[in-house]
Amino acid sequence: MLPTYYYLSNFLLMLEGVARRYGDLLDEVELGFVDTFSALTPDAQCLLVRLISRQGPWFCEAQLNYSEIEGIPEAISELFKHSLICYEQPDTAWLLQKSTKTELSQALVETSQALVKDIKRLKKSELIQYAQETGLLPNLLRRLAPAQHWFCLSPQVVYRRFELLYFERMSQSLSQFILADLGIHNFEAYSTSIASRSFNTRAEIEGLYTLSSLYQEFEEGGLSGKPSDIGIENFDSFCQRLTELPDFTKEAGNEKLNRMTQGLWLMAARQLERLGHFERALALYGNTKKPPSRERQARCLNKLGRDDEALEFVELMLASPMEESERLVARRLQKSLHRSLGRAAPKPWQGEFDTFKLECQRTANDENLEGRESNAEGAGRVEQCAARHLSTMQGEQLRLCVEVENRLFCSLFGLAFWDIIFTDVGGAFANSYQSRPSDMYQSEFYPRRKQAIDKRLAALASGDTQMIMEHFHQKCGITNDWVHWPLFEELSFDALGLESAQSRDKDQTPLLLQLALTAFSGAFLANLFRQMLFDLRYYRAGFPDLICFHLTAEYLAIERHATDDGAPNLIDSRVTAELIEVKGPGDALRDNQTVWLDWFNRNGVKASVCYLSWLD
């Protein structure tokens, strides 16, 4: 249950955070808003924050009903007095869209008595059409929006600027506070010092506002839709403003603003490509080296019949890929371009791994899941079925299959590098509500922390995995973009016929983590993490669905080898693992799945594909 004034407390926390971190760079408008807001009565403050949180841009008193605000009319007057709201008639199209059928019907009845008898049976769209055809639309609008009835926030309410400065990213807003208040997210206590802020001059802050506005215009101004819906004149104007942007890397040395700018170039160029303006798209793609720029340039050149030039880009991508996805797409483009140029196509890369078939009888549970998509944790019908059928007891050896997909190895990565991920690096953390540093999936993440990461990899390579265990127990439940805490609760000691996990010490290391750290050596994990660090966004997905642990009789006598604290002693136990990707009827391997299957086999861990079919 949230406190009554939780939203006001959160808004004040945001203002205070910006003032502490960026107070020396705020302009008169921003400082004026803070002063004006501070001078408001509590009711007016509450109402303004409520309005900011609502979907506008127009509001009317009749729509506002907040039990904690005693005098809403007085609060509205106060906001108007301080020039925080403006009385303004809403846009006709917006007003008709927001009005309900009941409101339209009632307003039409009040407008004219000469109406068709079955007006209440008309659909909303038919009511609007009727008002237009009968000439009643102007009167209808006056009924729906009388003078001094509708209002909007004034330009002085610059709360979006404070959101941008507080979160330093466009994807977060005031709603983030609520997730923390409800206990849905529990964040790491990392540093957000002034020294590590992302923007250090007013020019950089203005750059943030400008880029944010351009992103908003692109998404909300009809420029990101289907090519047939895009007005080329508006798009030309947008591109012109892009060309006028400063080079934030050269002028300010600001990588965050530079990344935002490159993202805009890519978005605009991709739309020009969809519109068939390949030469113009090439020019925009040429402004950035950020993937997939080289791929798209090769595709544009191919469309223009300039295959030799396209192949040059492809060969550059193969020789020095910036991301793993570049390497894979370059292989496909190389084959196509060689064919187009009349050259012998290179042998396609398919990876090396085994495949096998599995026929399963449907159970009642499988029937219940029929037709459903995979659930939020990634477990699908065929994966669960395969895990059940592949978990077997063969003599004195148990094969225990668990559905983990991307969750296990990503979690091990997050636990191994937890302290490094949350280290105070310039521009990495802007506020207390981040599950990862802002450059987590950027090319500079590893170089900026290279010394610490290399030291950790060396420790792992020497066999030291203790930090993984320590971070699990120290950080359990804290939000980390890599660690999937519920995963470790899915496998209990009951699966081995041992005592219930609930009866063990709550601080006990979970069985899945114990098995994983016994089956995979520190040296293996070091190699795995090096592979992931090349392209963290790409390599965090595509892992095989199942992990199958092979447990010997020595392990099954685990209770006799328990340590004094009740934790199983796995050091002398023989535990090995294999990985299995499960494919149901009609399902095919994705590129990243093929990459991981091949990698595991080349690095000493058996990984195969199970093609499952049903015994109908």
Side-chain angles (χ1 to χ4, degrees), residues 58 214 299 331 354 373 391 396 413 455 466 521 561:
W58 291 280
L214 287 170
R299 292 187 184 278
R331 286 172 178 160
D354 292 333
E373 296 182 358
S391 293
E396 294 186 339
F413 178 91
K455 183 178 180 181
Q466 187 60 32
S521 68
H561 299 282

Side-chain angles (χ1 to χ4, degrees), residues 146-165:
Q148 298 292 298
H149 183 75
W150 289 84
F151 58 89
C152 61
L153 298 176
S154 79
Q156 294 185 38
V157 183
V158 289
Y159 74 94
R160 182 55 182 155
R161 294 191 190 182
F162 286 89
E163 279 187 334
L164 287 169
L165 289 175

Side-chain angles (χ1 to χ4, degrees), residues 21 93 169 220 249 297 321-322 360 403 444 482 530 590:
R21 197 167 164 88
R169 57 196 307 181
E220 300 176 7
T249 303
Q297 288 181 76
M322 293 183 179
C360 294
E403 195 280 323
E444 60 264 29
W482 288 89
R530 284 192 190 97
R590 299 192 303 273

Side-chain angles (χ1 to χ4, degrees), residues 13-308:
L13 183 63
M14 181 181 71
L15 295 183
E16 292 165 4
V18 172
R20 175 179 57 83
R21 197 167 164 88
Y22 286 108
D24 59 317
L25 299 180
L26 298 181
D27 66 8
E28 292 182 1
V29 174
E30 292 149 2
L31 292 171
F33 175 72
V34 173
D35 291 340
T36 301
F37 186 84
S38 300
L40 296 175
T41 62
D43 272 0
Q45 286 184 341
C46 287
L47 182 59
L48 183 61
V49 178
R50 286 291 197 182
L51 294 176
I52 286 170
S53 303
R54 287 176 70 109
Q55 186 178 6
W58 291 280
F59 313 95
C60 69
E61 182 182 329
Q63 296 176 332
L64 307 177
N65 181 24
Y66 302 109
S67 59
E68 77 277 12
I69 303 176
E70 296 182 358
I72 289 180
E74 293 78 10
I76 293 174
S77 298
E78 186 177 350
L79 294 179
F80 179 72
K81 176 183 176 182
H82 285 85
S83 302
L84 296 173
I85 63 170
C86 306
Y87 285 104
E88 180 182 284
Q89 294 297 94
D91 177 78
T92 298
W94 182 91
L95 180 62
L96 292 175
Q97 178 189 3
K98 294 297 181 180
S99 299
T100 65
K101 176 186 172 181
T102 300
E103 290 172 334
L104 290 171
S105 299
Q106 183 177 347
L108 276 172
V109 170
E110 294 171 352
T111 298
S112 174
Q113 298 300 319
L115 297 174
V116 294
K117 294 182 179 179
D118 57 349
I119 187 173
K120 292 184 178 181
R121 297 183 181 180
L122 296 179
K123 297 178 182 178
K124 180 179 175 180
S125 59
E126 293 172 335
L127 284 171
I128 296 172
Q129 182 179 358
Y130 175 79
Q132 292 172 329
E133 292 174 349
T134 57
L136 294 174
L137 185 58
N139 292 334
L140 172 63
L141 295 174
R142 281 193 291 271
R143 287 283 182 178
L144 292 171
Q148 298 292 298
H149 183 75
W150 289 84
F151 58 89
C152 61
L153 298 176
S154 79
Q156 294 185 38
V157 183
V158 289
Y159 74 94
R160 182 55 182 155
R161 294 191 190 182
F162 286 89
E163 279 187 334
L164 287 169
L165 289 175
Y166 185 81
F167 293 108
E168 292 187 3
R169 57 196 307 181
M170 293 181 293
S171 58
Q172 284 184 301
S173 64
L174 284 166
S175 60
Q176 180 62 73
F177 288 103
I178 301 175
L179 297 176
D181 290 340
L182 292 172
I184 296 175
H185 290 164
N186 180 22
F187 294 92
E188 177 62 275
Y190 45 76
S191 172
T192 56
S193 64
I194 296 177
S196 64
R197 67 186 184 184
S198 297
F199 313 106
N200 293 298
T201 67
R202 184 65 202 182
E204 291 177 60
I205 289 180
E206 292 295 340
L208 172 66
Y209 297 159
T210 299
L211 292 170
S212 175
S213 296
L214 287 170
Y215 270 99
Q216 185 176 7
E217 179 183 347
F218 190 88
E219 295 297 332
E220 300 176 7
L223 300 180
S224 61
K226 298 178 181 178
S228 58
D229 299 331
I230 297 174
I232 193 63
E233 297 80 9
N234 292 338
F235 202 81
D236 287 342
S237 173
F238 181 83
C239 290
Q240 177 61 37
R241 275 171 288 150
L242 276 185
T243 61
E244 296 169 354
L245 287 172
D247 187 328
F248 292 108
T249 303
K250 291 181 179 178
E251 295 187 13
N254 195 302
E255 278 298 325
K256 181 167 288 191
L257 295 180
N258 184 50
R259 288 198 302 268
M260 292 177 68
T261 305
Q262 292 188 63
L264 284 168
W265 285 119
L266 288 172
M267 290 162 56
R270 189 70 182 97
Q271 284 298 72
L272 282 172
E273 187 182 346
R274 292 189 179 104
L275 289 165
H277 297 274
F278 301 115
E279 292 285 4
R280 291 183 62 190
L282 276 171
L284 291 191
Y285 282 130
N287 287 310
T288 174
K289 295 181 180 179
K290 181 181 178 181
S293 174
R294 294 193 293 186
E295 172 202 344
R296 300 318 312 177
Q297 288 181 76
R299 292 187 184 278
C300 286
L301 289 166
N302 174 244
K303 292 287 186 181
L304 291 167
R306 295 153 60 180
D307 289 344
D308 284 317

Side-chain angles (χ1 to χ4, degrees), residues 328 331-332 335 346-355 589-599 601-602 607 609 611:
L328 295 172
R331 286 172 178 160
R332 292 196 297 271
K335 179 180 179 181
K347 183 179 180 180
W349 180 85
Q350 296 178 328
E352 295 185 10
F353 49 86
D354 292 333
T355 65
L589 286 172
R590 299 192 303 273
D591 285 341
N592 56 355
Q593 294 172 335
T594 301
V595 167
W596 274 126
L597 288 164
D598 178 77
W599 187 91
N601 280 294
R602 285 189 292 102
V609 181
Y611 289 99

Side-chain angles (χ1 to χ4, degrees), residues 74 220 318 470 515:
E74 293 78 10
E220 300 176 7
L318 287 170
E470 290 176 355
L515 291 173

